[in-house]
Amino acid sequence: MRLGELLGKIGTCVACISITGLCDEYRDGLETLLKEEWYKPCRNRTVRGISIIGFDEYSFELSIEI
């Protein structure tokens, strides 16, 4: 699966998002992330793995390895 395909399937994301080498703990929302300068040239990169990390009962991170 490609990065763009994965992010297109997520819909609304309430967790912070980290993408290997691109962003760490991004909290400005998925729609804003898709407008970042680095996104367009990287959207076709292959996703190697995903993890959901829970820090406590209210804070989660979606970690995407590409």
Side-chain angles (χ1 to χ4, degrees):
M1 177 178 289
R2 307 274 182 217
L3 178 61
E5 293 170 327
L6 175 63
L7 294 179
K9 292 182 183 293
I10 291 174
T12 302
C13 185
V14 295
C16 68
I17 299 172
S18 292
I19 303 172
T20 307
L22 300 175
C23 67
D24 290 320
E25 296 185 9
Y26 193 90
R27 297 179 188 273
D28 292 338
L30 192 55
E31 289 180 17
T32 306
L33 185 143
L34 300 179
K35 295 175 185 175
E36 290 287 329
E37 264 181 49
W38 53 262
Y39 174 72
K40 195 169 185 176
C42 295
R43 67 181 174 203
N44 288 319
R45 292 180 63 183
T46 301
V47 172
R48 297 170 58 175
I50 58 171
S51 299
I52 298 173
I53 304 164
F55 298 109
D56 57 37
E57 62 186 80
Y58 301 108
S59 181
F60 295 93
E61 176 182 349
L62 172 61
S63 179
I64 303 170
E65 180 186 353
I66 56 173

